[in-house]
PDB file of all heavy atoms in Angstrom:
ATOM      1  N   ASP A  84       9.784  -2.767  -0.230  1.00  0.00           N
ATOM      2  CA  ASP A  84      11.217  -2.557  -0.450  1.00  0.00           C
ATOM      3  C   ASP A  84      11.860  -3.850  -0.953  1.00  0.00           C
ATOM      4  O   ASP A  84      11.820  -4.855  -0.246  1.00  0.00           O
ATOM      5  CB  ASP A  84      11.925  -2.180   0.863  1.00  0.00           C
ATOM      6  CG  ASP A  84      11.556  -0.790   1.359  1.00  0.00           C
ATOM      7  OD1 ASP A  84      10.766  -0.103   0.689  1.00  0.00           O
ATOM      8  OD2 ASP A  84      12.055  -0.397   2.426  1.00  0.00           O
ATOM      9  N   HIS A  86      15.145  -5.972  -1.785  1.00  0.00           N
ATOM     10  CA  HIS A  86      16.578  -6.059  -1.468  1.00  0.00           C
ATOM     11  C   HIS A  86      17.184  -7.315  -2.078  1.00  0.00           C
ATOM     12  O   HIS A  86      16.502  -8.339  -2.220  1.00  0.00           O
ATOM     13  CB  HIS A  86      16.783  -6.171   0.053  1.00  0.00           C
ATOM     14  CG  HIS A  86      16.524  -4.909   0.808  1.00  0.00           C
ATOM     15  ND1 HIS A  86      17.517  -4.183   1.404  1.00  0.00           N
ATOM     16  CD2 HIS A  86      15.367  -4.250   1.059  1.00  0.00           C
ATOM     17  CE1 HIS A  86      16.997  -3.132   2.011  1.00  0.00           C
ATOM     18  NE2 HIS A  86      15.692  -3.143   1.823  1.00  0.00           N
ATOM     19  N   CYS A  97      12.833  -6.393   2.942  1.00  0.00           N
ATOM     20  CA  CYS A  97      13.565  -6.031   4.156  1.00  0.00           C
ATOM     21  C   CYS A  97      13.425  -4.548   4.435  1.00  0.00           C
ATOM     22  O   CYS A  97      13.272  -3.747   3.518  1.00  0.00           O
ATOM     23  CB  CYS A  97      15.063  -6.326   4.009  1.00  0.00           C
ATOM     24  SG  CYS A  97      15.426  -8.037   3.619  1.00  0.00           S
ATOM     25  N   HIS A  98      13.566  -4.208   5.698  1.00  0.00           N
ATOM     26  CA  HIS A  98      13.505  -2.822   6.113  1.00  0.00           C
ATOM     27  C   HIS A  98      14.931  -2.314   6.333  1.00  0.00           C
ATOM     28  O   HIS A  98      15.586  -2.758   7.281  1.00  0.00           O
ATOM     29  CB  HIS A  98      12.710  -2.718   7.417  1.00  0.00           C
ATOM     30  CG  HIS A  98      12.186  -1.341   7.648  1.00  0.00           C
ATOM     31  ND1 HIS A  98      11.415  -1.005   8.712  1.00  0.00           N
ATOM     32  CD2 HIS A  98      12.324  -0.214   6.928  1.00  0.00           C
ATOM     33  CE1 HIS A  98      11.098   0.275   8.651  1.00  0.00           C
ATOM     34  NE2 HIS A  98      11.638   0.772   7.575  1.00  0.00           N
ATOM     35  N   THR A  99      15.374  -1.414   5.474  1.00  0.00           N
ATOM     36  CA  THR A  99      16.706  -0.814   5.543  1.00  0.00           C
ATOM     37  C   THR A  99      17.830  -1.817   5.339  1.00  0.00           C
ATOM     38  O   THR A  99      18.719  -1.622   4.534  1.00  0.00           O
ATOM     39  CB  THR A  99      16.928  -0.062   6.880  1.00  0.00           C
ATOM     40  OG1 THR A  99      15.823   0.801   7.081  1.00  0.00           O
ATOM     41  CG2 THR A  99      18.200   0.752   6.840  1.00  0.00           C
ATOM     42  N   ASN A 100      17.778  -2.918   6.078  1.00  0.00           N
ATOM     43  CA  ASN A 100      18.851  -3.895   6.028  1.00  0.00           C
ATOM     44  C   ASN A 100      18.235  -5.252   6.365  1.00  0.00           C
ATOM     45  O   ASN A 100      17.444  -5.344   7.310  1.00  0.00           O
ATOM     46  CB  ASN A 100      19.904  -3.502   7.069  1.00  0.00           C
ATOM     47  CG  ASN A 100      21.081  -4.440   7.097  1.00  0.00           C
ATOM     48  OD1 ASN A 100      20.916  -5.656   7.268  1.00  0.00           O
ATOM     49  ND2 ASN A 100      22.275  -3.899   6.948  1.00  0.00           N
ATOM     50  N   CYS A 101      18.599  -6.288   5.621  1.00  0.00           N
ATOM     51  CA  CYS A 101      17.947  -7.584   5.831  1.00  0.00           C
ATOM     52  C   CYS A 101      18.287  -8.197   7.187  1.00  0.00           C
ATOM     53  O   CYS A 101      17.600  -9.115   7.635  1.00  0.00           O
ATOM     54  CB  CYS A 101      18.252  -8.539   4.684  1.00  0.00           C
ATOM     55  SG  CYS A 101      17.373  -8.072   3.168  1.00  0.00           S
ATOM     56  N   LEU A 103      18.077  -6.436   9.867  1.00  0.00           N
ATOM     57  CA  LEU A 103      17.238  -5.705  10.816  1.00  0.00           C
ATOM     58  C   LEU A 103      15.807  -6.224  10.808  1.00  0.00           C
ATOM     59  O   LEU A 103      15.216  -6.500  11.844  1.00  0.00           O
ATOM     60  CB  LEU A 103      17.275  -4.209  10.461  1.00  0.00           C
ATOM     61  CG  LEU A 103      16.350  -3.277  11.229  1.00  0.00           C
ATOM     62  CD1 LEU A 103      16.618  -3.353  12.712  1.00  0.00           C
ATOM     63  CD2 LEU A 103      16.540  -1.850  10.736  1.00  0.00           C
ATOM     64  N   TYR A 135      15.656  -0.937  -3.615  1.00  0.00           N
ATOM     65  CA  TYR A 135      16.745  -0.583  -2.707  1.00  0.00           C
ATOM     66  C   TYR A 135      18.127  -0.887  -3.280  1.00  0.00           C
ATOM     67  O   TYR A 135      19.049  -0.101  -3.154  1.00  0.00           O
ATOM     68  CB  TYR A 135      16.541  -1.339  -1.390  1.00  0.00           C
ATOM     69  CG  TYR A 135      17.246  -0.716  -0.230  1.00  0.00           C
ATOM     70  CD1 TYR A 135      16.654   0.298   0.515  1.00  0.00           C
ATOM     71  CD2 TYR A 135      18.523  -1.133   0.120  1.00  0.00           C
ATOM     72  CE1 TYR A 135      17.311   0.882   1.584  1.00  0.00           C
ATOM     73  CE2 TYR A 135      19.193  -0.552   1.190  1.00  0.00           C
ATOM     74  CZ  TYR A 135      18.578   0.457   1.914  1.00  0.00           C
ATOM     75  OH  TYR A 135      19.229   1.027   2.961  1.00  0.00           O
ATOM     76  N   ILE A 348      18.023   3.366  12.120  1.00  0.00           N
ATOM     77  CA  ILE A 348      18.400   3.906  10.824  1.00  0.00           C
ATOM     78  C   ILE A 348      17.253   3.836   9.821  1.00  0.00           C
ATOM     79  O   ILE A 348      17.365   3.151   8.845  1.00  0.00           O
ATOM     80  CB  ILE A 348      19.483   2.949  10.274  1.00  0.00           C
ATOM     81  CG1 ILE A 348      20.338   2.418  11.407  1.00  0.00           C
ATOM     82  CG2 ILE A 348      20.306   3.685   9.273  1.00  0.00           C
ATOM     83  CD1 ILE A 348      20.983   1.105  11.003  1.00  0.00           C
ATOM     84  N   ILE A 349      16.153   4.460  10.051  1.00  0.00           N
ATOM     85  CA  ILE A 349      15.095   4.075   9.153  1.00  0.00           C
ATOM     86  C   ILE A 349      14.849   5.016   8.007  1.00  0.00           C
ATOM     87  O   ILE A 349      13.989   4.789   7.217  1.00  0.00           O
ATOM     88  CB  ILE A 349      13.862   3.815   9.969  1.00  0.00           C
ATOM     89  CG1 ILE A 349      14.290   2.550  10.656  1.00  0.00           C
ATOM     90  CG2 ILE A 349      12.638   3.561   9.126  1.00  0.00           C
ATOM     91  CD1 ILE A 349      13.612   1.977  11.602  1.00  0.00           C
ATOM     92  N   ILE A 350      15.666   5.973   7.834  1.00  0.00           N
ATOM     93  CA  ILE A 350      15.374   6.946   6.798  1.00  0.00           C
ATOM     94  C   ILE A 350      15.075   6.246   5.475  1.00  0.00           C
ATOM     95  O   ILE A 350      15.632   5.216   5.202  1.00  0.00           O
ATOM     96  CB  ILE A 350      16.561   7.869   6.605  1.00  0.00           C
ATOM     97  CG1 ILE A 350      17.060   8.231   7.969  1.00  0.00           C
ATOM     98  CG2 ILE A 350      16.175   9.032   5.729  1.00  0.00           C
ATOM     99  CD1 ILE A 350      17.507   9.573   8.196  1.00  0.00           C
TER     100      ILE A 350
END
Side-chain angles (χ1 to χ4, degrees):
D84 290 359
H86 287 250
C97 303
H98 201 178
T99 310
N100 181 304
C101 288
L103 174 58
Y135 201 86
I348 325 157
I349 290 172
I350 317 219

